[in-house]
């Protein structure tokens, strides 16, 4: 068990290091010059060179990367090339917005999709199962931003039940925090819920055909009782795999939703930094998102070990 966990920790660390190299090179390859953005198109060449020396963008890439990596290890993501403010401080206030949005969207999608997916599996040969599958297919075709716009038109503009945009921190006003997140979370959860329904249905259909489920039915268990008692654990491995992939997708979808609802999260800041050619901020945000995706995959791997004991013995033999 310890060896299996150690291998996954090593893979996680190496993946972070490789990702940092790719993120740095991708940002360095972006067109434009931050010094030109700061001083303007008609700036004096000597002033541009002086500013590049001050910002450190005239140094070799390997030196720039080394300084950036060293800073990240100590929790320092550098300072904005435009404002001079520490990137870590800038992102700390925005991170909570994105985290609440992503976690809320996934939790809502999971709470709704799990019973519906199980129902679709059990009733797959009946009309109710067909209807569930049909609506999940329709949900897959609905863009999250379009769902957000429709929800705003109905619940914010027409009914005026909920705010259309903005964000209030949880500690400032829990009630307003909740109401401001309702529509964005639902918008993000619609498509993710439809995806989860399809995978949960498939996972439980596979479980229903296994011998131990048929044995439980033969000794008098109802289909639902056998499924809940013996099927959930077996199906959970597939569901957790999809959940990890969908959480990564949600991080990308959150950027769009933040634009629709004017939420001042990481997505809003990332798009602004790209437009301003503020590479230090871009690198910091992208690296935080990449690290979150890798961390999710790492936790998914650990959950496999907890759910399936066979993986522990396989890791030990290796």
């Amino acid at each position: 068990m310890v060896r299996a966990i150690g291998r996954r920790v090593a893979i996680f660390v190496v993946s972070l290091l490789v990702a940092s190299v790719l993120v740095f090179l991708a940002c360095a390859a972006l067109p434009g010059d931050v010094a030109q953005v700061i001083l303007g198109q008609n700036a004096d060449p000597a002033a541009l060179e002086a500013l590049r020396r001050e910002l450190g963008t005239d140094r070799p890439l390997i030196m720039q990367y080394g300084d950036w990596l060293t800073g990240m290890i100590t929790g320092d993501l550098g300072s904005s090339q435009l404002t001079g403010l520490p990137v870590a401080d800038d992102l700390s206030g925005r991170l909570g917005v994105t985290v609440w949005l992503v976690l809320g969207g996934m939790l809502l999608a999971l709470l709704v999709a799990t019973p519906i997916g199980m129902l679709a599996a059990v009733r797959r040969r009946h009309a109710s199962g067909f209807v569930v599958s049909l609506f999940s297919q329709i949900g897959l075709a609905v863009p999250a931003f379009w769902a957000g716009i429709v929800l705003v038109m109905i619940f914010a503009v027409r009914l005026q039940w909920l705010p259309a945009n903005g964000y209030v921190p949880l500690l400032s006003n829990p009630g307003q925090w909740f109401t401001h997140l309702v529509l964005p979370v639902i918008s993000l959860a619609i498509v993710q819920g439809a995806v989860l329904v399809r995978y949960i249905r498939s996972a439980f259909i596979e479980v229903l055909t296994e011998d131990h489920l048929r044995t439980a039915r033969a000794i008098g268990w109802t289909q639902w009782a056998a499924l809940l008692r013996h099927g959930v654990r077996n199906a959970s491995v597939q569901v957790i795999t999809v959940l990890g992939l969908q959480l990564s997708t949600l991080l990308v979808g959150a950027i769009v939703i933040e634009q629709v609802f004017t939420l001042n999260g990481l997505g809003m800041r990332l798009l602004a930094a790209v437009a301003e050619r503020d590479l230090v901020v871009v690198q910091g945000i992208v690296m935080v998102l990449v690290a979150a995706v890798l961390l999710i995959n790492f936790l998914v791997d650990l959950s496999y070990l907890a759910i399936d004991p066979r993986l522990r013995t396989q890791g030990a033999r290796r």
Side-chain angles (χ1 to χ4, degrees):
M1 181 68 173
V2 174
R3 184 179 298 177
I5 294 176
R7 288 181 64 253
R8 284 161 173 79
V9 170
I11 292 172
F12 174 67
V13 173
V14 172
S15 299
L16 272 179
L17 183 61
V18 173
S20 69
V21 174
L22 296 177
V23 168
F24 179 83
L25 293 178
C27 291
L30 290 175
D33 181 2
V34 66
Q36 196 83 59
V37 173
I38 295 173
L39 297 179
Q41 294 296 324
N42 299 320
D44 181 66
L48 287 172
E49 287 299 323
L51 184 56
R52 291 187 187 111
R53 284 194 299 272
E54 181 181 343
L55 296 174
T57 57
D58 62 331
R59 296 181 303 156
L61 288 179
I62 186 65
M63 296 179 61
Q64 296 183 47
Y65 171 74
D67 290 344
W68 182 59
L69 180 62
T70 303
M72 279 197 301
I73 294 174
T74 61
D76 180 12
L77 295 176
S79 299
S80 168
Q81 294 171 322
L82 295 180
T83 66
L85 298 175
V87 175
D89 294 344
D90 185 16
L91 301 188
S92 61
R94 303 170 186 270
L95 183 61
V97 181
T98 303
V99 168
W100 283 121
L101 178 59
V102 171
L103 291 182
M106 179 51 70
L107 180 61
L108 179 60
L110 188 61
L111 290 176
V112 174
T114 300
I116 292 178
M118 292 175 66
L119 175 64
V122 173
R123 305 283 295 178
R124 62 189 181 278
R125 296 187 179 92
H126 299 79
S128 56
F130 173 77
V131 171
V132 170
S133 298
L134 177 63
F135 275 99
S136 66
Q137 285 290 97
I138 295 174
L140 290 173
V142 176
F145 73 89
W146 185 83
I149 293 172
V150 172
L151 290 174
V152 168
M153 293 297 296
I154 296 174
F155 294 101
V157 177
R158 183 175 295 275
L159 298 177
Q160 297 184 356
W161 289 352
L162 295 166
N165 52 42
Y167 178 79
V168 176
L170 174 61
L171 298 179
S172 299
N173 191 317
Q176 290 191 19
W177 167 83
F178 178 79
T179 56
H180 278 81
L181 278 179
V182 169
L183 294 183
V185 165
I186 293 176
S187 304
L188 202 57
I190 287 175
V191 178
Q192 305 307 320
V195 173
L196 286 176
V197 166
R198 303 294 299 176
Y199 280 101
I200 291 172
R201 176 182 180 274
S202 176
F204 277 96
I205 287 176
E206 183 176 336
V207 168
L208 285 170
T209 61
E210 294 181 357
D211 292 339
H212 64 276
L213 260 294
R214 287 198 292 266
T215 302
R217 294 295 307 281
I219 63 175
W221 289 58
T222 65
Q223 189 174 40
W224 278 104
L227 190 63
L228 293 174
R229 177 67 178 84
H230 299 288
V232 171
R233 185 181 181 91
N234 291 339
S236 60
V237 173
Q238 295 184 45
V239 174
I240 288 175
T241 301
V242 176
L243 206 59
L245 295 174
Q246 289 304 111
L247 277 170
S248 304
T249 305
L250 275 172
L251 287 171
V252 178
I255 296 176
V256 178
I257 293 299
E258 287 177 11
Q259 295 293 313
V260 174
F261 291 92
T262 322
L263 300 176
N264 199 17
L266 294 181
M268 289 275 287
R269 186 67 184 96
L270 175 61
L271 294 179
V274 171
E276 296 166 350
R277 196 55 169 69
D278 198 341
L279 291 184
V280 177
V281 176
V282 173
Q283 288 173 178
I285 296 176
V286 174
M287 196 60 215
V288 167
L289 295 176
V290 170
V293 171
L294 293 175
L295 178 61
I296 290 168
N297 291 329
F298 172 69
L299 295 177
V300 167
D301 279 345
L302 292 185
S303 68
Y304 292 158
L305 299 178
I307 294 172
D308 193 344
R310 294 171 299 181
L311 297 177
R312 305 173 203 168
T313 58
Q314 290 173 5
R317 284 196 296 269
R318 292 174 185 174

